């Protein structure tokens, strides 16, 4: 059984940084795509960034240059480093995993999800 557990969320002032972690069990992440999504109140879940199994990454336009997705395959963990945070980044952030094929940008294509971690950015 695959489980994804996020940690690292919290409250931060605008311009600050947070580092989210997602630890996987039941699956070795090295061959899978690992992504981050977020969902703000009243809004749909949206793509943030993805680390493909082959080492490449892709990001939503609104986080390019501010957020970085990386992975530590030895710890079976994927990281979301968030810098220059803005109040509009406030959301619950979710880690997700899928086979490395098909569409990486829609939530419905992912097989496994974490429980989410709250990120709140104050102005």
């Amino acid at each position: 059984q695959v489980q994804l557990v996020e940690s690292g969320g919290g409250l931060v002032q605008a311009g600050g940084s947070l580092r989210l972690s997602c630890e996987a069990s039941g699956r070795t992440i090295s061959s899978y795509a690992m992504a981050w999504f977020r969902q703000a109140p009243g809004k749909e879940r949206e793509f943030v960034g993805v680390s493909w199994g082959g080492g490449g990454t892709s990001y939503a336009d609104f986080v390019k240059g501010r957020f970085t997705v990386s992975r530590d395959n030895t710890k079976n963990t994927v990281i979301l480093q968030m810098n220059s945070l803005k109040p509009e980044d406030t959301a619950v952030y979710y880690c997700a995993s899928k086979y490395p094929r098909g569409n990486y940008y829609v939530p419905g294509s992912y097989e496994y999800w974490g429980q989410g971690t709250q990120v709140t950015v104050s102005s």
Side-chain angles (χ1 to χ4, degrees):
Q1 183 179 358
V2 178
Q3 288 189 318
L4 304 175
V5 179
E6 301 99 334
S7 61
L11 173 64
V12 64
Q13 289 187 333
S17 299
L18 279 176
R19 183 174 183 267
L20 306 184
S21 297
C22 172
E23 183 174 2
S25 60
R27 163 176 284 183
T28 302
I29 68 169
S30 58
S31 299
Y32 295 89
M34 300 296 296
W36 290 92
F37 287 78
R38 70 185 188 185
Q39 188 166 19
K43 295 187 177 181
E44 294 186 350
R45 193 167 297 189
E46 63 181 356
F47 170 78
V48 173
V50 62
S51 169
W52 299 313
T57 54
S58 180
Y59 299 94
D61 286 343
F62 55 78
V63 302
K64 283 182 180 176
R66 301 189 298 126
F67 291 11
T68 303
V69 179
S70 61
R71 59 171 71 201
D72 184 342
N73 289 332
T74 64
K75 296 181 179 179
N76 225 33
T77 297
V78 63
I79 304 296
L80 179 65
Q81 178 67 45
M82 305 186 293
N83 299 325
S84 301
L85 282 161
K86 305 175 182 180
E88 52 264 43
D89 294 319
T90 295
V92 177
Y93 284 71
Y94 296 91
C95 173
S97 176
K98 70 186 299 291
Y99 286 100
R101 61 173 180 259
N103 191 316
Y104 294 95
Y105 307 109
V106 295
S109 67
Y110 282 80
E111 305 164 277
Y112 298 102
W113 291 85
Q115 82 288 352
T117 185
Q118 176 70 46
V119 171
T120 303
V121 184
S122 63
S123 57

XYZ file of all heavy atoms in Angstrom, residues 25-82:
451
model
N 5.983 5.744 1.266
C 6.200 4.374 1.693
C 5.363 3.470 0.812
O 4.334 3.892 0.277
C 5.836 4.183 3.167
O 4.481 4.498 3.394
N 5.812 2.237 0.626
C 5.093 1.305 -0.218
C 5.403 1.447 -1.692
O 4.861 0.709 -2.517
N 6.230 2.389 -2.040
C 6.637 2.626 -3.427
C 7.990 3.314 -3.409
O 8.182 4.296 -2.682
C 5.612 3.489 -4.157
C 6.107 4.122 -5.448
C 5.008 4.881 -6.174
N 4.100 3.964 -6.849
C 3.072 4.350 -7.614
N 2.841 5.650 -7.792
N 2.292 3.481 -8.197
N 8.903 2.837 -4.252
C 10.182 3.513 -4.420
C 10.001 4.606 -5.454
O 9.682 4.329 -6.610
C 11.259 2.516 -4.881
O 11.361 1.467 -3.908
C 12.598 3.206 -5.018
N 10.204 5.843 -5.052
C 9.807 6.964 -5.899
C 10.717 7.189 -7.091
O 10.368 7.954 -7.994
C 9.700 8.278 -5.098
C 11.086 8.742 -4.629
C 8.738 8.125 -3.934
C 11.097 10.145 -4.069
N 11.864 6.536 -7.133
C 12.856 6.868 -8.156
C 12.329 6.687 -9.575
O 12.786 7.372 -10.488
C 14.113 6.017 -7.956
O 13.788 4.645 -8.006
N 11.360 5.804 -9.780
C 10.848 5.548 -11.123
C 9.488 6.175 -11.380
O 8.866 5.891 -12.408
C 10.752 4.032 -11.359
O 12.025 3.429 -11.261
N 9.026 7.008 -10.487
C 7.686 7.577 -10.596
C 7.741 9.096 -10.622
O 8.682 9.715 -10.124
C 6.819 7.117 -9.429
C 6.567 5.639 -9.439
C 7.436 4.768 -8.809
C 5.467 5.105 -10.111
C 7.214 3.389 -8.848
C 5.248 3.739 -10.135
C 6.124 2.893 -9.505
O 5.909 1.545 -9.543
N 6.715 9.663 -11.216
C 6.550 11.107 -11.163
C 5.984 11.490 -9.805
O 5.043 10.869 -9.310
C 5.607 11.569 -12.274
N 6.581 12.522 -9.220
C 6.134 13.031 -7.927
C 5.792 14.509 -8.100
O 6.635 15.290 -8.563
C 7.227 12.867 -6.879
C 7.665 11.432 -6.652
S 6.359 10.382 -5.986
C 6.084 11.156 -4.389
N 4.580 14.871 -7.733
C 4.101 16.224 -7.998
C 3.558 16.878 -6.746
O 3.235 16.217 -5.756
C 3.010 16.185 -9.064
N 3.452 18.188 -6.830
C 2.791 18.989 -5.806
C 1.622 19.737 -6.449
O 1.753 20.318 -7.532
C 3.752 19.995 -5.188
C 4.797 19.365 -4.337
C 6.044 18.957 -4.725
C 4.709 19.051 -2.940
N 6.725 18.408 -3.677
C 5.927 18.461 -2.556
C 3.719 19.222 -1.972
C 6.185 18.035 -1.251
C 3.961 18.801 -0.678
C 5.186 18.216 -0.320
N 0.501 19.695 -5.749
C -0.689 20.464 -6.101
C -1.066 21.302 -4.908
O -0.588 21.077 -3.796
C -1.843 19.525 -6.468
C -1.688 18.845 -7.798
C -0.849 17.747 -7.942
C -2.390 19.282 -8.911
C -0.700 17.113 -9.178
C -2.258 18.658 -10.140
C -1.406 17.573 -10.265
N -1.961 22.247 -5.130
C -2.465 23.038 -4.005
C -3.941 23.348 -4.230
O -4.417 23.365 -5.373
C -1.665 24.317 -3.820
C -1.862 25.356 -4.897
C -0.913 26.527 -4.667
N -1.184 27.640 -5.576
C -0.441 28.730 -5.641
N 0.637 28.870 -4.844
N -0.751 29.692 -6.479
N -4.623 23.602 -3.134
C -6.038 23.931 -3.205
C -6.361 24.989 -2.169
O -6.206 24.754 -0.962
C -6.898 22.688 -2.982
C -8.375 22.917 -3.240
C -9.147 21.611 -3.349
O -8.690 20.552 -2.907
N -10.320 21.670 -3.950
N -6.798 26.129 -2.645
C -7.220 27.217 -1.773
C -8.722 27.098 -1.523
O -9.435 26.481 -2.324
C -6.889 28.560 -2.420
N -9.221 27.686 -0.450
C -10.653 27.593 -0.152
C -11.503 28.104 -1.307
O -11.249 29.183 -1.855
C -10.807 28.481 1.079
C -9.468 28.455 1.733
C -8.484 28.394 0.604
N -12.486 27.305 -1.701
C -13.394 27.696 -2.754
C -12.848 27.564 -4.152
O -13.514 27.946 -5.123
N -11.636 27.036 -4.283
C -11.009 26.903 -5.598
C -10.708 25.449 -5.890
O -10.643 24.611 -4.993
C -9.732 27.732 -5.671
C -9.963 29.237 -5.564
C -8.683 29.986 -5.810
C -8.913 31.490 -5.783
N -7.657 32.257 -6.055
N -10.481 25.169 -7.169
C -10.126 23.812 -7.566
C -8.655 23.540 -7.249
O -7.842 24.458 -7.137
C -10.388 23.623 -9.059
C -11.852 23.691 -9.445
C -12.079 23.347 -10.902
O -11.107 23.236 -11.648
O -13.250 23.190 -11.287
N -8.352 22.263 -7.131
C -6.973 21.860 -6.910
C -6.171 22.173 -8.177
O -6.616 21.866 -9.289
C -6.907 20.374 -6.585
C -5.584 19.917 -6.033
C -5.684 18.519 -5.443
N -6.595 18.485 -4.303
C -6.737 17.434 -3.504
N -6.011 16.338 -3.715
N -7.591 17.458 -2.504
N -4.997 22.754 -7.998
C -4.204 23.166 -9.148
C -2.767 22.663 -9.060
O -2.211 22.483 -7.967
C -4.202 24.698 -9.304
C -3.570 25.451 -8.167
C -3.616 26.965 -8.364
O -4.076 27.447 -9.424
O -3.174 27.681 -7.431
N -2.200 22.444 -10.228
C -0.830 21.955 -10.357
C 0.153 23.028 -9.909
O 0.007 24.205 -10.248
C -0.579 21.580 -11.814
C 0.848 21.284 -12.145
C 1.416 20.067 -11.800
C 1.633 22.218 -12.805
C 2.736 19.789 -12.114
C 2.950 21.954 -13.118
C 3.496 20.739 -12.775
N 1.194 22.590 -9.165
C 2.271 23.483 -8.740
C 3.584 23.120 -9.439
O 4.214 23.947 -10.073
C 2.447 23.429 -7.213
C 3.674 24.236 -6.779
C 1.185 23.923 -6.505
N 3.995 21.868 -9.310
C 5.243 21.433 -9.912
C 5.360 19.930 -9.864
O 4.674 19.267 -9.091
N 6.240 19.389 -10.705
C 6.421 17.943 -10.788
C 7.881 17.611 -11.020
O 8.600 18.352 -11.713
C 5.532 17.322 -11.889
C 5.890 17.881 -13.264
C 5.626 15.799 -11.883
N 8.311 16.517 -10.411
C 9.618 15.937 -10.670
C 9.385 14.601 -11.362
O 8.776 13.702 -10.788
C 10.376 15.733 -9.359
O 11.533 14.936 -9.563
N 9.839 14.506 -12.610
C 9.658 13.259 -13.336
C 10.682 12.222 -12.881
O 11.697 12.562 -12.326
C 9.826 13.510 -14.839
C 8.851 14.464 -15.377
C 7.501 14.462 -15.162
C 9.108 15.585 -16.221
N 6.919 15.518 -15.825
C 7.880 16.205 -16.497
C 10.270 16.114 -16.783
C 7.768 17.334 -17.297
C 10.167 17.238 -17.584
C 8.928 17.834 -17.827
N 10.408 10.973 -13.144
C 11.328 9.920 -12.741
C 12.711 10.064 -13.351
O 13.699 9.658 -12.753
N 12.789 10.679 -14.535
C 14.071 10.827 -15.212
C 14.900 12.004 -14.750
O 16.004 12.230 -15.265
N 14.389 12.783 -13.807
C 15.164 13.885 -13.252
C 14.709 15.259 -13.667
O 15.153 16.249 -13.104
N 13.866 15.369 -14.674
C 13.393 16.674 -15.094
C 12.297 17.195 -14.193
O 11.729 16.461 -13.375
N 12.025 18.496 -14.325
C 10.971 19.128 -13.548
C 10.150 20.052 -14.445
O 10.604 20.465 -15.517
C 11.530 19.964 -12.385
O 12.485 20.904 -12.899
C 12.217 19.073 -11.347
N 8.964 20.364 -13.969
C 8.105 21.320 -14.656
C 7.303 22.052 -13.605
O 6.960 21.467 -12.570
C 7.182 20.599 -15.646
O 6.354 21.516 -16.321
N 6.989 23.331 -13.886
C 6.326 24.165 -12.898
C 5.173 24.942 -13.517
O 5.191 25.284 -14.704
C 7.315 25.165 -12.301
C 8.468 24.518 -11.593
C 9.673 24.273 -12.253
C 8.360 24.120 -10.261
C 10.730 23.660 -11.616
C 9.411 23.510 -9.611
C 10.587 23.276 -10.292
O 11.630 22.660 -9.651
N 4.212 25.273 -12.672
C 3.177 26.212 -13.080
C 3.811 27.593 -13.234
O 4.761 27.931 -12.525
C 2.069 26.256 -12.037
N 3.257 28.371 -14.150
C 3.837 29.691 -14.420
C 3.887 30.562 -13.171
O 4.829 31.343 -12.981
C 3.033 30.401 -15.515
C 3.286 29.811 -16.895
O 4.299 29.095 -17.052
O 2.479 30.060 -17.796
N 2.887 30.431 -12.312
C 2.802 31.334 -11.164
C 3.825 31.030 -10.073
O 3.954 31.795 -9.113
C 1.388 31.358 -10.572
C 0.841 30.014 -10.186
C 1.244 29.387 -9.017
C -0.084 29.379 -11.002
C 0.739 28.155 -8.657
C -0.604 28.132 -10.652
C -0.188 27.522 -9.479
N 4.583 29.925 -10.196
C 5.619 29.626 -9.203
C 7.018 29.578 -9.798
O 7.996 29.408 -9.056
C 5.341 28.302 -8.454
C 3.993 28.356 -7.766
C 5.469 27.097 -9.364
N 7.130 29.733 -11.094
C 8.452 29.668 -11.721
C 9.388 30.727 -11.138
O 9.023 31.880 -10.985
C 8.320 29.861 -13.229
C 7.822 28.621 -13.960
C 7.765 28.841 -15.456
C 7.271 27.597 -16.173
N 7.116 27.800 -17.628
N 10.579 30.268 -10.788
C 11.571 31.161 -10.209
C 11.447 31.311 -8.704
O 12.337 31.874 -8.066
N 10.344 30.815 -8.119
C 10.149 30.926 -6.675
C 10.146 29.557 -5.995
O 10.635 29.429 -4.875
C 8.832 31.639 -6.367
C 8.734 33.039 -6.937
C 7.501 33.764 -6.395
N 6.258 33.113 -6.757
C 5.317 32.733 -5.889
N 5.514 32.932 -4.590
N 4.203 32.156 -6.303
N 9.569 28.564 -6.637
C 9.443 27.227 -6.048
C 10.354 26.253 -6.778
O 10.552 26.357 -8.006
C 8.016 26.721 -6.162
C 6.993 27.439 -5.324
C 7.275 28.627 -4.664
C 5.711 26.913 -5.210
C 6.315 29.275 -3.900
C 4.744 27.544 -4.439
C 5.048 28.735 -3.802
N 10.853 25.269 -6.045
C 11.694 24.227 -6.628
C 11.276 22.868 -6.092
O 11.138 22.702 -4.877
C 13.176 24.463 -6.300
O 13.578 25.751 -6.758
C 14.040 23.395 -6.966
N 11.074 21.920 -7.006
C 10.786 20.538 -6.625
C 12.069 19.735 -6.774
O 12.730 19.784 -7.811
C 9.681 19.929 -7.512
C 9.417 18.478 -7.098
C 8.398 20.740 -7.403
N 12.403 19.007 -5.736
C 13.575 18.139 -5.796
C 13.228 16.831 -5.101
O 12.203 16.722 -4.422
C 14.781 18.800 -5.127
O 14.513 19.058 -3.765
N 14.073 15.842 -5.286
C 13.815 14.563 -4.641
C 15.101 14.006 -4.072
O 16.186 14.253 -4.589
C 13.180 13.569 -5.605
C 13.995 13.260 -6.843
C 13.375 12.104 -7.608
N 12.140 12.450 -8.265
C 11.217 11.554 -8.643
N 11.407 10.276 -8.375
N 10.122 11.939 -9.263
N 14.941 13.268 -2.982
C 16.032 12.505 -2.394
C 15.608 11.050 -2.446
O 14.868 10.568 -1.587
C 16.281 12.960 -0.953
C 17.483 12.271 -0.324
O 17.911 11.211 -0.844
O 17.987 12.774 0.682
N 16.070 10.375 -3.493
C 15.635 8.987 -3.683
C 16.137 8.075 -2.563
O 15.506 7.054 -2.278
C 16.099 8.468 -5.042
C 15.336 9.114 -6.188
O 14.188 9.520 -6.034
N 15.978 9.209 -7.345
N 17.243 8.433 -1.928
C 17.757 7.592 -0.845
C 16.834 7.632 0.370
O 16.788 6.691 1.155
C 19.163 8.035 -0.428
O 19.105 9.358 0.107
C 20.117 8.019 -1.616
N 16.102 8.740 0.508
C 15.145 8.871 1.617
C 13.709 8.701 1.153
O 12.781 8.879 1.943
C 15.310 10.241 2.278
C 16.666 10.450 2.926
C 16.749 11.814 3.588
C 18.097 12.020 4.252
N 18.200 13.352 4.881
N 13.555 8.386 -0.147
C 12.210 8.213 -0.711
C 11.336 9.434 -0.430
O 10.157 9.309 -0.056
C 11.550 6.940 -0.172
C 10.870 6.145 -1.259
O 11.310 6.119 -2.407
N 9.786 5.487 -0.912
N 11.907 10.602 -0.622
C 11.262 11.858 -0.241
C 11.355 12.865 -1.382
O 12.387 12.944 -2.062
C 11.930 12.434 1.019
O 11.740 11.532 2.108
C 11.334 13.787 1.382
N 10.280 13.623 -1.559
C 10.280 14.730 -2.511
C 10.060 16.019 -1.727
O 9.320 16.035 -0.745
C 9.205 14.530 -3.597
C 7.811 14.504 -3.023
C 9.321 15.592 -4.671
N 10.754 17.056 -2.153
C 10.776 18.324 -1.454
C 10.167 19.418 -2.330
O 10.394 19.455 -3.543
C 12.222 18.731 -1.102
C 12.913 17.637 -0.285
C 12.245 20.068 -0.385
C 12.298 17.389 1.053
N 9.428 20.326 -1.711
C 8.988 21.549 -2.376
C 9.568 22.729 -1.589
O 9.116 23.009 -0.474
C 7.468 21.644 -2.442
C 6.922 22.916 -3.107
C 7.303 22.960 -4.580
C 5.403 22.997 -2.938
N 10.570 23.365 -2.161
C 11.157 24.559 -1.558
C 10.427 25.772 -2.096
O 10.406 25.990 -3.317
C 12.650 24.639 -1.879
C 13.328 25.883 -1.334
C 13.372 25.907 0.186
O 13.688 24.909 0.816
N 13.048 27.062 0.764
N 9.836 26.548 -1.211
C 9.039 27.699 -1.606
C 9.689 28.973 -1.073
O 9.826 29.130 0.142
C 7.608 27.572 -1.066
C 6.925 26.273 -1.472
S 5.189 26.211 -0.973
C 5.370 26.162 0.809
